[in-house]
Amino acid sequence: MLLFPPAACPRLIVKIGSALLVDPDGGVRRAWLEGIAADIAARVAAGQQVAVVSSGAIALGARRLGLPKGGRASLEDAQAAAAAGQIALAGVWAEVLGAVGLTAAQMLVTLGDLEERRRYLNAAATLNRLLQLGVVPVINENDSVATEEIRFGDNDRLAARIAQAAGAAGVVLLSDIDGLYDRNPALPGAVHIPRVERIDGAIEGMADRGSASGMGSGGMVSKIAAARIANAAGAGLAIASGRIDRPLSTAARHTLFVAAQSAPARKAWLAGGLTAKGAIHVDAGAARALVDGRSLLAAGATRIDGRFVRGDLVTIEGPDGILARGLSEYDSDDAMRLLGRRSDDHAAILGYAPRSALVHRNHMALL
């Protein structure tokens, strides 16, 4: 069965890993890529809008610049390799898509472009217009300026965030593995998991942190994190093998992470955030209240971590782990002064009229 057929999935995001696009010597696997272009053309002809999240810039640039360790020996090498490789990567995509009658457009994004709300909406508007015009956006992280502190770090989570911004119903992560296994697939007795209805601790425990090729930056941990982001936005996500020809038109083995009912756009954006400025820890009673749809009150908060200001994204953590993400109604210093105190006491503590909650339910997304 075809993954995310056009009739059921008007918009599709396809992520392609470095090991699929670039051979071990640093050259483009052009014949394979031409097959992907043909698959995309068939889907577009059937009425599906497709965007591609493409790795490969660092690997391509490292070869052109003669850099060791695939361009990943240092941050400076990776940035230089990305700068040289991205222009080559964009050119290859323009050629192979142009050969099947499609126009490619390049979008380079940073973490801040999708984490800061206004910039996120601008990126979403650009992406939406390109897809409406029948263009195939080719998206990558702008590794030439990204640092360890301000980057996605892998294109799996980037693809999930792009799906959220585009309102896509499906994401396909083409990889060097055909899905999730109950343990490292190299181990005897490893069992393939074809379908995941809910991501819980047991599923996360199956993740193998390695990248089989050594060329990319994402392993199964990043793919499960991507599935969580995509599912929160109402998009299904499939991990499928790209080690075959024409993988987007072949019923290959895969793992499908099934999306639940999608959250409103703002809450989906909050749920997918990666760069929380701090954390508010809560007791068991407050945790139950959040699950019941209540706002976070100071009386149930037990500890503040990090430094943040009003409007910053924070995580809310209960006795069993992270419960939610939301926008803080207070600076961290004032929030700390209110810990465990009843609402009636807040005005006297702060010296000004308090807000109703530390994090209001309208600015919070449960995870």
Side-chain angles (χ1 to χ4, degrees):
M1 180 177 178
L2 187 68
L3 276 171
F4 302 117
C9 178
R11 282 186 175 174
L12 177 68
I13 310 302
V14 179
K15 180 263 180 176
I16 297 174
S18 296
L20 299 177
L21 193 142
V22 182
D23 64 33
D25 294 327
V28 175
R29 297 180 64 222
R30 193 173 184 101
W32 181 87
L33 197 59
E34 288 170 349
I36 291 289
D39 283 350
I40 292 172
R43 286 174 174 266
V44 171
Q48 191 171 59
Q49 297 173 342
V50 181
V52 175
V53 174
S54 177
S55 303
I58 292 176
L60 288 175
R63 181 190 189 190
R64 283 156 175 74
L65 299 179
L67 294 172
K69 298 183 179 180
R72 298 182 184 273
S74 67
L75 176 61
E76 292 80 7
D77 277 3
Q79 290 173 324
Q86 188 60 50
I87 193 168
L89 182 65
V92 170
W93 274 110
E95 290 172 12
V96 297
L97 289 171
V100 292
L102 296 175
T103 299
Q106 177 178 259
M107 285 185 68
L108 296 179
V109 298
T110 63
L111 182 64
D113 292 326
L114 299 181
E115 296 285 277
E116 199 277 316
R117 182 67 174 169
R118 182 174 296 178
R119 289 160 67 186
Y120 169 86
L121 293 174
N122 288 336
T126 300
L127 188 59
N128 183 62
R129 186 58 181 144
L130 288 170
L131 290 167
Q132 288 175 338
L133 291 169
V135 171
V136 178
V138 179
I139 303 141
N140 198 5
E141 183 166 14
N142 192 352
D143 287 312
S144 62
V145 298
T147 67
E148 293 300 329
E149 292 78 20
I150 53 168
R151 66 192 307 262
F152 282 91
D154 63 78
N155 275 352
D156 298 320
R157 289 181 293 179
L158 174 57
R161 280 297 242 173
I162 291 296
Q164 183 187 82
V171 182
V172 177
L173 304 181
L174 290 178
S175 181
D176 47 13
I177 190 169
D178 58 4
L180 177 67
Y181 287 75
D182 67 343
R183 69 202 76 177
N184 188 318
L187 296 175
V191 177
H192 181 265
I193 310 296
R195 186 178 179 92
V196 176
E197 299 285 348
R198 180 174 177 270
I199 300 171
D200 55 18
I203 292 298
E204 290 177 333
M206 296 176 186
D208 174 39
R209 294 182 179 275
S211 175
S213 66
M215 195 177 294
S217 54
M220 192 56 66
V221 170
S222 74
K223 290 171 174 55
I224 291 177
R228 189 183 290 279
I229 294 168
N231 288 173
L237 182 141
I239 302 169
S241 175
R243 292 294 187 189
I244 59 175
D245 292 333
R246 305 291 297 270
L248 294 178
S249 61
T250 305
R253 189 158 76 159
H254 60 273
T255 296
L256 175 65
F257 292 82
V258 180
Q261 183 176 358
S262 62
R266 182 178 173 82
K267 292 206 171 190
W269 173 74
L270 287 170
L274 301 175
T275 54
K277 294 295 182 65
I280 302 175
H281 295 260
V282 302
D283 59 27
R288 287 192 297 270
L290 295 182
V291 173
D292 290 338
R294 310 263 184 90
S295 298
L296 173 59
L297 303 182
T302 60
R303 190 174 91 236
I304 301 292
D305 291 339
R307 302 283 296 181
F308 50 87
V309 300
R310 185 187 180 204
D312 278 348
L313 180 68
V314 297
T315 59
I316 302 171
E317 302 188 21
D320 298 322
I322 297 177
L323 291 166
R325 295 177 187 270
L327 303 181
S328 177
E329 295 286 342
Y330 287 94
D331 296 353
S332 53
D333 288 344
D334 282 350
M336 207 170 298
R337 296 168 66 192
L338 299 179
L339 286 177
R341 303 299 292 267
R342 295 176 59 84
S343 299
D344 294 345
D345 301 330
H346 292 185
I349 294 169
L350 297 174
Y352 62 82
R355 300 176 187 91
S356 61
L358 291 184
V359 181
H360 195 278
R361 64 183 181 182
N362 290 345
H363 306 302
M364 182 194 309
L366 295 175
L367 301 179

